[in-house]
Amino acid sequence: IHKQVLDLYQGLHYRETIFKVGSKKIHIKAERFLSLDNVHLLVMKYGFLCEEACQITILTGIDGDVWDINGPHFKKTAYEQQEQQLSAIVTTNEGEMIIAAEMLDCSFGTNMIVHQENGLFHRVVVQAKPGREYFFYKYVSIYTSKDGVDQIKVAALAAVRESYSNGYDKLYRRHAQLWHERWLLSDVRIDGDEEAQFALRYSIYQLLAGAPIHSNRLSIPARGLSGQIYKGAVFWDTEMFMLTFFLFTQPKLARNILQYRYFALEGARKKAAEYGYRGAFYAWESQENGEDACTLFNVTDVFTERPMRTYFRDKQIHISADVVYGIWQYCKITGDDSILFEGGAEVILECARFFVSYAYFKKDKNRYEILDVTGPDEYHERVSNNAFTNYLVKHCLKVSLEVLELLKKKNESFYQNLLVKLDFTSEIPAIREMYELLYIPAPAADTMIIEQFDGYQKLEDVTLNDLKNRIKLPNEYWGGGNGLATTTRIIKQADVVLLLNLFRKEFSEEVKRANWEYYEPRTEHGSSLSHCTYAMLSTDIGKPDWAYPYFQKTATIDLTGDYKRYVGTLYIGGTHPAANGGAWMVTILGFGGLYFDGEVVTLAPKFPEKWRTLSFHVTVKEQNCEVIISKDLFTIVASSQNTRKVCFNLEGKIVENNPGQEITLPRLKNKIS
Amino acid sequence: IHKQVLDLYQGLHYRETIFKVGSKKIHIKAERFLSLDNVHLLVMKYGFLCEEACQITILTGIDGDVWDINGPHFKKTAYEQQEQQLSAIVTTNEGEMIIAAEMLDCSFGTNMIVHQENGLFHRVVVQAKPGREYFFYKYVSIYTSKDGVDQIKVAALAAVRESYSNGYDKLYRRHAQLWHERWLLSDVRIDGDEEAQFALRYSIYQLLAGAPIHSNRLSIPARGLSGQIYKGAVFWDTEMFMLTFFLFTQPKLARNILQYRYFALEGARKKAAEYGYRGAFYAWESQENGEDACTLFNVTDVFTERPMRTYFRDKQIHISADVVYGIWQYCKITGDDSILFEGGAEVILECARFFVSYAYFKKDKNRYEILDVTGPDEYHERVSNNAFTNYLVKHCLKVSLEVLELLKKKNESFYQNLLVKLDFTSEIPAIREMYELLYIPAPAADTMIIEQFDGYQKLEDVTLNDLKNRIKLPNEYWGGGNGLATTTRIIKQADVVLLLNLFRKEFSEEVKRANWEYYEPRTEHGSSLSHCTYAMLSTDIGKPDWAYPYFQKTATIDLTGDYKRYVGTLYIGGTHPAANGGAWMVTILGFGGLYFDGEVVTLAPKFPEKWRTLSFHVTVKEQNCEVIISKDLFTIVASSQNTRKVCFNLEGKIVENNPGQEITLPRLKNKIS
């Protein structure tokens, strides 16, 4: 008998198992949590009960022998004991120091300390009475050399002692209260679709659990807290797929996530210089210091078993533009431009500078072009004038010019100092010229298709099924030099469609629909970033029924485990917080039809068939409102703590909602859903 | 008993065989030639002798069932008989008409005409007497729809009738006389090295045999008259490796070969337009009409057995610059610029226009760059700023500007008309600017290495042996997307070294030597164009001992058959006229040290150890001289038919040689060789 529970609401893991040892039965219950009140703290309550009399030996402490598929985590480990406090001092392969301090609260048996090669443990031996439940508690405190604390060992030992004296229940209550508060602002209720409700809450939990509450030098990795292959590295996934959730529900966390890019700026500058460019070329797999963990050979060819040269690291230049997009979204949605003065402007300007130094000018066409890049669709590497990239780059240039205006207006001396610090004055005319003359692939006059990159439409137009029939070995990589998809129009994931999503107000519905219909059958959805993108654009063009299956995919990806686990021989499994963020976006921006232009919150819901009510909280410019959308009615409740009215556009009707006010408005009858 | 002779001196094939049929022996002798006097004519003399009395049946005529690895040659065949004249009228897959007319001169036996599915034949039956030698003669005349003759059937029948009445011996004498005259101007004598002597004469024979004496709409294909895979297509091989031989010995043939490019210009314009460029983008595998026979997938992957995308067709843009280089060499060496007025100028200007439309401008570096090309080294596709390509392009731009000046000076109205015809006036400032601002990778200040392309020196620096140890399957392709060499510094063939060869006066000996030493160990010599290039640069830097093994390779390639026969699963065998041309160049330009700058013929010999005397004829600006170089002496005999004196620089000493004059000069004693 085995039961395992992840309590999404309280951030608690619970396990209950009955083990049979010979003829004897032992009941085990264990619950544990990572404290939201104190991120250094791990707490566990462990209980057991023997049906018959037994001698039980408990070995618990600190096991320092930590491995994953990349090898051992630590290059140095040392263990210490001070009375009943155990501690491990380890050095990671990256040179970081980590202290783990542990205390055990065990009121039974004989307790002795055991040194073993791989760790330091308590050994508790107890003659357990039949039917009696024994409990012990374990407190662990973790500090690292990046925590900004002077003496991390002292801090860790103090923290563990304090938590020991506070005790499990008190610590648990504080933790649970904070999770409760998080959910107040982040929960989404869907009436009429239990499956969606559960999957969405699971997604939100994953986003919240992975977000850095305690540091603005960290972001959320592409595999969240799990997933070994990407070594905790941060991808564009964060800005493009996770950020929006935080912007509308937890703007402080959004700010932390974006500030991380400022602390990564030096790494991005190094990378640009490495490739002979100026400015900031953000890493494809960004480490804590901004350096790129991505190798040049990150797929293994299943035919030759050789490492395969790929162009993730070298050519996915859009990441710098994605970072700028994220920061600018933050300014627009939170109304807080202080981030610009705390590194944000520097990031933006350095990205613009990078693109100026990357681009080439085509004299006879009087335009700048962006050559030799890899766009979101990774099956087509080293392409030119990728529509997504060019558009995002143009946006980056525009933002950089606007930011310069803004800084100058708001704080002239800051502006001047920044120009001097970055030696930027001479860049400005170049940025302006490139902004004006950058080539942007436009929808074709007849078909309205935006060509994904130069020459895409000359590639073989094979169907996805026909391509799959060409597969010779399982897990063969479709991209790279000789991949199955490389010479065809089959794409890995949304590319033009993602562009249309990010700039949904700048393209007509006809263009969006034409491109959705053109690219969708040609998309493998081989990336967890693809389904939500197609879903969102479906709702945008009034097709929530097209969107729903993609929504299910993105919302349940880690519940069903139905995703691509191998690229070549490489295991790429783990959780998918970008898909989680995508599930929230499809629900709120897609089916809920939420759009905020910096002034007005628009709601244009397009529900899936069976949804009856969708309720959620939304925060814009520090004003929080609860939104309840039923099939017939909008209900908007402005928080009494709001400081200003919030303006809504409800299916075309403009309403203003004062602090504490509740507004109810019938929905249009002739809407599709 | 079997004997087969190719008579290089007379262009005759001879075969003698004794067949045993049961207990009976039949002696067969056959000799045949393709008349140099009339290129339409094939002539054969066939004899047999039976040791015992036999009934012999001879079946001879026209067999129209012609196949190669690309399939059958003809899509339509028809046969006709007019009295004793047989003829075949066939249509090739490319739509060309070919007539073959045949007559048999057989004075014995009974002769009847036999129709078979695959052809039309004479059947001759004779009761052969023992010991008597029987001879018959066969005359075949071939005309095609491209011969510029109105009624090709009439012409073919007339030609075969005439040759029949002239008879074998007369035809043979004319043919042999013309070959004799060819050899007078083209032969090279090497005393002291019989092997080299033979291999070089074989090479010269191949070049002469393949050259278009009768048409300026044809050139020499990369596999000469043999080699099925390239379908008779013309490559850069011709201008870069074969042309020089013709320029110095048979300038009229050189002119024909170059004029071909004018007739291919329309195809080159089409190709440029296909890729979105202006001007002329010459074909990688140029067909008669200039269209490109090269496919986008011209290698098969031995691992997946799938066609592999390669960038021969799309990215080897240097071919246009190579053509211009060839034409300009012609003007310089022959002194005949009439070719410019007969299409040459148009070719040159259209190539310059192509490069202007191909290049990109890098504003912050104030320079033009040439991105995304494949240079001579085909293992590294899609590279940027390939030194060879950039240099050749700059040369093309320079030549185009000089040609404009020349036309204007020599024939103003032609110049004006050409500008109008090509709508070229607006291109001139662009060409001039690009010429001035084109980025040319320079030798590094410290190492003097010219980097083959941007980033070459960041590639893995594996040894050739280590690379070979990585081979998993025979014939696996080293280039392409995932090839073994692609991500390393191992190159297929001379690239920078070829550049240094083509512009030998523009680089210092130190630079040449440094690059030879750097690139040689990194060169696979997987192309038949590579050995001669390294050999020539070796002699240029005073290392004839380094050159000799490469010379042997290039001179004997088709005698030993020691060359790469497969790329992937593709058979690429056949003759190698570029290597033949290379053998001549190594001998004359390399070991002979011949250089002509348009004014002075320089001779700076660097003999291999065992060479005693090197003798050859050289024609510059229509003046022919015989050159005899021994270890001690120069002897120069100017033809009495010369119209001007010829100026020589003999190891530093300037001498002038009047028509009919013989000059003898002792060689420097302190020279290495």
Side-chain angles (χ1 to χ4, degrees):
Chain A
I1 296 169
H2 179 66
K3 191 167 98 175
Q4 192 166 209
V5 175
L6 177 64
D7 182 337
L8 305 178
Y9 194 71
Q10 305 194 86
L12 185 84
H13 181 264
Y14 178 77
R15 214 177 90 168
E16 190 176 336
T17 317
I18 302 174
F19 290 99
K20 214 167 158 181
V21 184
S23 62
K24 295 176 177 179
K25 279 187 182 162
I26 305 171
H27 298 235
I28 307 266
K29 286 179 185 170
E31 60 183 54
R32 66 194 86 192
F33 61 91
L34 275 66
S35 170
L36 191 58
D37 182 43
N38 176 354
V39 291
H40 301 284
L41 214 58
L42 291 67
V43 190
M44 179 170 77
K45 175 180 180 182
Y46 196 97
F48 60 90
L49 174 153
C50 304
E51 292 188 1
E52 297 166 61
C54 280
Q55 176 177 307
I56 297 286
T57 304
I58 299 161
L59 192 73
T60 186
I62 303 173
D63 180 350
D65 194 23
V66 183
W67 284 67
D68 71 11
I69 55 171
N70 302 304
H73 274 204
F74 306 132
K75 64 176 173 197
K76 230 173 91 184
T77 51
Y79 303 96
E80 282 182 19
Q81 177 193 352
Q82 287 172 304
E83 295 173 15
Q84 289 303 306
Q85 291 176 54
L86 310 184
S87 58
I89 303 102
V90 300
T91 311
T92 66
N93 291 313
E94 292 77 29
E96 199 177 343
M97 276 258 284
I98 302 178
I99 300 281
E102 189 250 25
M103 287 184 78
L104 185 69
D105 177 1
C106 180
S107 54
F108 52 79
T110 61
N111 187 339
M112 64 184 284
I113 306 297
V114 187
H115 288 257
Q116 292 188 355
E117 203 196 340
N118 61 332
L120 191 56
F121 303 91
H122 310 269
R123 179 187 277 143
V124 179
V125 181
V126 59
Q127 305 301 331
K129 295 186 179 155
R132 175 173 157 190
E133 201 160 18
Y134 295 82
F135 283 102
F136 66 88
Y137 303 88
K138 189 171 161 179
Y139 304 93
V140 178
S141 164
I142 310 264
Y143 272 80
T144 83
S145 49
K146 295 205 173 154
D147 278 330
V149 172
D150 266 354
Q151 295 195 287
I152 60 174
K153 193 167 140 190
V154 174
L157 290 169
V160 79
R161 269 196 309 274
E162 195 199 325
S163 60
Y164 181 91
S165 66
N166 277 323
Y168 184 87
D169 289 344
K170 193 169 167 188
L171 295 173
Y172 172 66
R173 278 195 306 274
R174 285 186 194 163
H175 167 76
Q177 173 61 25
L178 287 172
W179 268 100
H180 172 72
E181 287 168 20
R182 287 187 139 184
W183 279 110
L184 268 184
L185 291 178
S186 299
D187 192 27
V188 175
R189 274 168 296 126
I190 301 169
D191 294 331
D193 191 344
E194 270 185 46
E195 200 191 349
Q197 173 69 80
F198 173 66
L200 184 60
R201 281 185 168 150
Y202 175 81
S203 298
I204 293 170
Y205 170 80
Q206 289 290 347
L207 289 165
L208 291 172
I213 56 169
H214 63 302
S215 171
N216 58 9
R217 294 178 177 238
L218 296 171
S219 181
I220 308 177
R223 288 290 177 266
L225 299 173
S226 80
Q228 302 171 5
I229 185 57
Y230 296 135
K231 304 160 224 124
V234 176
F235 287 62
W236 70 313
D237 302 35
T238 313
E239 277 82 0
M240 290 283 112
F241 296 92
M242 305 177 208
L243 180 67
T244 311
F245 161 76
F246 293 104
L247 289 175
F248 282 113
T249 74
Q250 308 277 349
K252 282 201 186 91
L253 291 180
R255 199 178 200 282
N256 279 352
I257 288 169
L258 292 167
Q259 286 278 97
Y260 157 74
R261 295 293 188 177
Y262 177 60
F263 295 103
L265 181 56
E266 215 36 56
R269 283 195 181 110
K270 263 197 219 168
K271 182 173 170 184
E274 176 194 336
Y275 286 102
Y277 302 110
R278 295 172 295 118
F281 182 2
Y282 273 93
W284 185 241
E285 300 186 11
S286 186
Q287 300 183 104
E288 274 180 81
N289 56 7
E291 290 186 11
D292 204 328
C294 186
T295 67
L296 300 182
F297 295 83
N298 62 350
V299 174
T300 300
D301 187 340
V302 292
F303 292 98
T304 61
E305 286 170 354
R306 292 179 190 139
M308 187 189 287
R309 181 68 162 94
T310 50
Y311 292 86
F312 299 100
R313 186 189 204 276
D314 319 48
K315 298 297 177 187
Q316 298 224 24
I317 64 162
H318 66 80
I319 179 83
S320 286
D322 305 337
V323 166
V324 171
Y325 183 90
I327 297 173
W328 200 237
Q329 285 289 104
Y330 175 83
C331 295
K332 210 167 93 177
I333 291 167
T334 66
D336 167 25
D337 54 24
S338 70
I339 194 172
L340 299 175
F341 296 88
E342 290 167 36
E346 201 168 328
V347 168
I348 291 168
L349 297 182
E350 288 290 51
C351 288
R353 168 182 263 160
F354 167 65
F355 290 121
V356 166
S357 93
Y358 195 89
Y360 280 89
F361 190 68
K362 191 79 182 151
K363 284 213 174 180
D364 54 1
K365 294 177 177 162
N366 192 36
R367 70 190 194 188
Y368 285 88
E369 298 188 18
I370 299 181
L371 308 173
D372 201 5
V373 303
T374 305
D377 161 30
E378 292 165 347
Y379 287 164
H380 296 92
E381 298 179 323
R382 303 198 56 200
V383 301
S384 290
N385 294 313
N386 168 249
F388 176 90
T389 302
N390 286 25
Y391 217 99
L392 267 282
V393 168
K394 183 160 180 155
H395 176 263
C396 166
L397 300 173
K398 182 167 165 238
V399 166
S400 72
L401 295 168
E402 288 184 19
V403 162
L404 287 168
E405 286 302 306
L406 185 150
L407 297 182
K408 195 173 174 182
K409 212 171 74 186
K410 287 216 166 176
N411 189 336
E412 170 86 25
S413 73
F414 179 91
Y415 167 77
Q416 293 297 351
N417 288 339
L418 191 62
L419 291 190
V420 171
K421 177 182 173 192
L422 301 183
D423 188 16
F424 207 78
T425 311
S426 65
E427 301 281 1
I428 301 171
I431 291 175
R432 187 165 291 120
E433 182 181 280
M434 181 169 159
Y435 169 66
E436 280 160 12
L437 297 181
L438 177 59
Y439 167 56
I440 300 294
D446 48 352
T447 61
M448 297 200 259
I449 305 304
I450 298 174
E451 194 174 31
Q452 189 174 304
F453 52 81
D454 288 352
Y456 170 84
Q457 280 171 318
K458 284 186 187 173
L459 298 177
E460 189 195 0
D461 200 12
V462 65
T463 68
L464 193 54
N465 264 337
D466 285 348
L467 196 81
K468 285 180 178 166
N469 286 335
R470 296 178 189 173
I471 293 175
K472 295 201 172 183
L473 286 183
N475 306 320
E476 64 170 280
Y477 184 55
W478 289 17
N482 297 337
L484 271 183
T486 304
T487 56
T488 75
R489 292 188 217 174
I490 297 299
I491 61 178
K492 184 178 175 193
Q493 66 200 90
D495 194 304
V496 169
V497 167
L498 179 57
L499 164 66
L500 299 176
N501 243 319
L502 294 181
F503 299 93
R504 51 200 277 198
K505 296 298 175 193
E506 298 180 22
F507 295 96
S508 72
E509 186 164 324
E510 289 72 30
V511 167
K512 286 187 246 189
R513 184 164 181 146
N515 283 280
W516 196 101
E517 290 181 346
Y518 181 80
Y519 284 109
E520 197 286 325
R522 293 172 173 86
T523 306
E524 184 212 2
H525 300 294
S527 157
S528 61
L529 314 178
S530 194
H531 300 107
C532 64
T533 308
Y534 276 93
M536 275 190 285
L537 201 70
S538 305
T539 60
D540 194 26
I541 56 177
K543 290 286 183 185
D545 49 329
W546 294 0
Y548 194 72
Y550 295 112
F551 166 73
Q552 287 179 301
K553 280 270 185 189
T554 196
T556 64
I557 182 166
D558 291 327
L559 295 168
T560 62
D562 179 18
Y563 60 84
K564 195 186 282 193
R565 283 152 196 265
Y566 284 91
V567 171
T569 60
L570 198 74
Y571 179 71
I572 57 162
T575 57
H576 294 81
N580 302 147
W584 185 90
M585 285 198 286
V586 178
T587 306
I588 305 301
L589 311 188
F591 298 133
L594 172 75
Y595 181 78
F596 181 57
D597 63 4
E599 300 296 330
V600 178
V601 178
T602 297
L603 288 170
K606 288 131 189 162
F607 278 9
E609 189 69 35
K610 56 184 169 179
W611 288 21
R612 290 195 306 269
T613 313
L614 176 68
S615 321
F616 56 91
H617 280 259
V618 60
T619 302
V620 294
K621 292 192 165 177
E622 300 179 314
Q623 313 304 309
N624 181 263
C625 295
E626 189 184 359
V627 173
I628 302 152
I629 310 171
S630 69
K631 294 226 173 191
D632 310 315
L633 224 59
F634 286 110
T635 307
I636 316 281
V637 187
S639 164
S640 58
Q641 279 157 47
N642 284 358
T643 55
R644 294 191 304 276
K645 67 184 182 198
V646 182
C647 186
F648 281 86
N649 173 343
L650 304 174
E651 287 173 347
K653 182 144 191 191
I654 308 291
V655 297
E656 290 188 343
N657 206 3
N658 288 311
Q661 191 184 352
E662 174 170 336
I663 287 176
T664 304
L665 197 79
R667 293 190 54 195
L668 291 180
K669 289 295 173 211
N670 60 352
K671 291 302 273 187
I672 304 162
S673 50
Chain B
I1 297 170
H2 179 66
K3 189 167 99 178
Q4 193 166 208
V5 175
L6 177 64
D7 182 336
L8 305 178
Y9 193 70
Q10 306 193 85
L12 185 86
H13 181 264
Y14 177 76
R15 214 178 88 169
E16 191 177 335
T17 316
I18 303 174
F19 289 100
K20 214 168 156 182
V21 185
S23 62
K24 295 177 177 178
K25 280 185 180 162
I26 305 171
H27 298 234
I28 306 260
K29 286 178 186 171
E31 60 183 57
R32 66 195 86 192
F33 62 90
L34 276 64
S35 171
L36 192 58
D37 182 45
N38 176 354
V39 292
H40 300 285
L41 213 57
L42 291 66
V43 190
M44 180 168 77
K45 175 180 178 181
Y46 196 97
F48 58 91
L49 174 153
C50 304
E51 294 188 0
E52 298 166 61
C54 279
Q55 175 177 309
I56 297 288
T57 304
I58 298 160
L59 194 72
T60 185
I62 303 173
D63 181 350
D65 195 23
V66 183
W67 284 68
D68 71 11
I69 54 173
N70 303 304
H73 274 204
F74 306 131
K75 66 178 172 197
K76 231 172 89 184
T77 51
Y79 303 96
E80 281 182 20
Q81 178 195 351
Q82 286 173 306
E83 298 174 13
Q84 289 303 307
Q85 292 177 51
L86 311 184
S87 57
I89 304 103
V90 301
T91 311
T92 66
N93 291 313
E94 294 75 28
E96 198 178 343
M97 277 256 283
I98 301 178
I99 300 282
E102 189 250 22
M103 286 183 78
L104 185 68
D105 177 1
C106 181
S107 55
F108 52 80
T110 61
N111 185 342
M112 63 183 287
I113 306 296
V114 188
H115 288 255
Q116 291 188 357
E117 203 195 339
N118 60 332
L120 192 55
F121 303 90
H122 310 269
R123 176 186 278 144
V124 178
V125 180
V126 60
Q127 304 302 328
K129 294 183 180 156
R132 174 174 159 187
E133 202 161 17
Y134 294 81
F135 285 100
F136 66 87
Y137 304 88
K138 190 171 162 179
Y139 306 92
V140 179
S141 165
I142 309 261
Y143 273 79
T144 83
S145 51
K146 294 203 173 158
D147 279 329
V149 173
D150 266 355
Q151 295 195 287
I152 60 174
K153 193 166 139 192
V154 174
L157 290 169
V160 79
R161 266 196 312 274
E162 197 200 323
S163 60
Y164 181 89
S165 64
N166 278 322
Y168 183 86
D169 290 345
K170 192 169 168 186
L171 296 174
Y172 172 65
R173 279 194 306 273
R174 284 185 195 164
H175 168 73
Q177 174 62 25
L178 289 171
W179 267 101
H180 171 72
E181 287 167 21
R182 286 187 141 184
W183 279 110
L184 266 185
L185 291 177
S186 298
D187 192 26
V188 175
R189 273 170 296 127
I190 302 170
D191 294 331
D193 191 343
E194 270 185 47
E195 201 191 348
Q197 173 69 78
F198 173 65
L200 183 60
R201 282 187 168 147
Y202 176 82
S203 299
I204 293 171
Y205 170 80
Q206 289 291 346
L207 289 165
L208 291 172
I213 56 169
H214 62 301
S215 172
N216 59 9
R217 295 179 177 238
L218 296 171
S219 182
I220 309 178
R223 288 288 177 269
L225 299 172
S226 80
Q228 303 171 5
I229 185 57
Y230 296 135
K231 303 159 225 126
V234 176
F235 288 62
W236 71 313
D237 302 37
T238 312
E239 277 82 0
M240 291 284 111
F241 296 92
M242 305 177 209
L243 180 67
T244 310
F245 162 75
F246 294 103
L247 288 175
F248 282 113
T249 73
Q250 307 277 349
K252 283 203 184 89
L253 292 179
R255 198 177 204 279
N256 279 353
I257 287 168
L258 292 167
Q259 285 279 92
Y260 158 75
R261 294 293 188 178
Y262 177 60
F263 296 103
L265 181 57
E266 214 36 57
R269 284 197 180 107
K270 262 197 218 166
K271 182 172 169 184
E274 177 195 335
Y275 286 102
Y277 302 110
R278 294 173 296 118
F281 181 3
Y282 273 92
W284 184 240
E285 300 186 12
S286 186
Q287 301 183 104
E288 275 180 79
N289 57 7
E291 291 187 8
D292 205 329
C294 186
T295 67
L296 300 182
F297 295 83
N298 61 351
V299 175
T300 300
D301 187 340
V302 293
F303 293 100
T304 62
E305 288 170 353
R306 292 178 189 141
M308 187 190 286
R309 181 68 161 94
T310 50
Y311 291 87
F312 298 99
R313 186 189 205 279
D314 318 48
K315 299 296 178 187
Q316 297 224 25
I317 64 163
H318 64 80
I319 179 79
S320 286
D322 305 337
V323 167
V324 171
Y325 183 90
I327 297 173
W328 200 237
Q329 285 290 104
Y330 176 83
C331 295
K332 211 167 91 179
I333 291 167
T334 67
D336 166 27
D337 55 24
S338 69
I339 195 172
L340 299 175
F341 295 88
E342 289 167 39
E346 200 167 328
V347 168
I348 290 168
L349 297 181
E350 288 291 52
C351 288
R353 168 183 264 160
F354 167 66
F355 290 120
V356 166
S357 94
Y358 195 89
Y360 280 89
F361 190 68
K362 191 80 183 150
K363 285 213 174 181
D364 53 1
K365 294 176 178 162
N366 192 38
R367 69 188 195 189
Y368 285 88
E369 298 188 18
I370 299 183
L371 308 173
D372 201 4
V373 303
T374 305
D377 162 30
E378 292 165 346
Y379 288 164
H380 296 91
E381 298 178 323
R382 303 195 60 199
V383 302
S384 290
N385 294 313
N386 169 247
F388 175 90
T389 302
N390 286 25
Y391 217 99
L392 265 283
V393 168
K394 183 160 178 154
H395 176 264
C396 166
L397 300 172
K398 182 168 164 238
V399 167
S400 71
L401 294 169
E402 289 182 19
V403 162
L404 287 168
E405 287 301 308
L406 185 150
L407 298 181
K408 196 174 174 182
K409 213 171 74 185
K410 288 216 167 178
N411 189 336
E412 170 86 27
S413 74
F414 180 91
Y415 168 77
Q416 293 297 348
N417 287 338
L418 190 62
L419 290 190
V420 171
K421 177 182 172 192
L422 301 183
D423 189 16
F424 206 79
T425 313
S426 64
E427 301 282 359
I428 301 171
I431 290 174
R432 187 164 290 120
E433 182 180 280
M434 181 168 158
Y435 169 67
E436 281 159 12
L437 298 181
L438 177 59
Y439 167 56
I440 300 294
D446 47 354
T447 60
M448 297 199 260
I449 306 303
I450 298 174
E451 192 173 32
Q452 189 175 303
F453 52 80
D454 288 354
Y456 170 84
Q457 281 172 317
K458 285 187 185 172
L459 298 176
E460 189 195 358
D461 200 13
V462 67
T463 68
L464 193 55
N465 263 338
D466 285 350
L467 196 81
K468 284 180 179 167
N469 285 334
R470 295 179 188 173
I471 292 175
K472 296 201 171 181
L473 285 184
N475 307 319
E476 63 169 281
Y477 184 56
W478 288 17
N482 297 337
L484 270 183
T486 304
T487 56
T488 75
R489 291 187 218 175
I490 297 299
I491 62 178
K492 184 178 174 194
Q493 67 201 88
D495 194 303
V496 169
V497 167
L498 179 57
L499 164 65
L500 299 176
N501 245 318
L502 294 180
F503 299 93
R504 48 199 279 198
K505 297 298 173 192
E506 299 181 21
F507 295 96
S508 71
E509 186 165 323
E510 289 71 32
V511 166
K512 285 187 249 187
R513 186 168 180 140
N515 283 279
W516 197 100
E517 290 182 345
Y518 181 82
Y519 283 109
E520 198 285 327
R522 293 173 173 87
T523 305
E524 184 212 2
H525 301 294
S527 157
S528 61
L529 314 179
S530 195
H531 300 107
C532 64
T533 309
Y534 276 94
M536 275 190 285
L537 202 69
S538 305
T539 60
D540 195 26
I541 56 178
K543 288 286 183 187
D545 50 327
W546 293 2
Y548 195 73
Y550 294 114
F551 166 72
Q552 287 179 301
K553 280 270 186 191
T554 194
T556 64
I557 181 166
D558 291 328
L559 295 169
T560 62
D562 179 19
Y563 58 84
K564 196 186 278 190
R565 283 149 197 268
Y566 284 92
V567 171
T569 60
L570 198 72
Y571 178 71
I572 56 162
T575 57
H576 295 80
N580 302 147
W584 186 89
M585 286 198 287
V586 177
T587 305
I588 306 300
L589 311 188
F591 299 132
L594 171 76
Y595 181 77
F596 181 57
D597 63 3
E599 300 296 329
V600 178
V601 179
T602 298
L603 287 170
K606 288 134 192 160
F607 279 8
E609 189 69 36
K610 56 182 169 180
W611 288 22
R612 290 194 307 268
T613 313
L614 177 67
S615 321
F616 56 92
H617 280 259
V618 60
T619 301
V620 296
K621 292 193 167 178
E622 300 179 316
Q623 312 305 309
N624 182 262
C625 296
E626 189 184 359
V627 173
I628 303 153
I629 310 171
S630 69
K631 294 222 171 190
D632 311 315
L633 224 58
F634 285 110
T635 307
I636 315 282
V637 186
S639 165
S640 57
Q641 280 156 46
N642 284 358
T643 54
R644 291 191 306 277
K645 66 183 183 199
V646 182
C647 188
F648 280 86
N649 174 345
L650 304 175
E651 286 173 350
K653 180 143 193 195
I654 307 292
V655 297
E656 291 190 343
N657 207 3
N658 289 311
Q661 193 186 352
E662 174 170 337
I663 288 177
T664 306
L665 198 79
R667 293 191 55 195
L668 293 180
K669 290 295 172 211
N670 60 349
K671 291 302 276 188
I672 303 161
S673 50

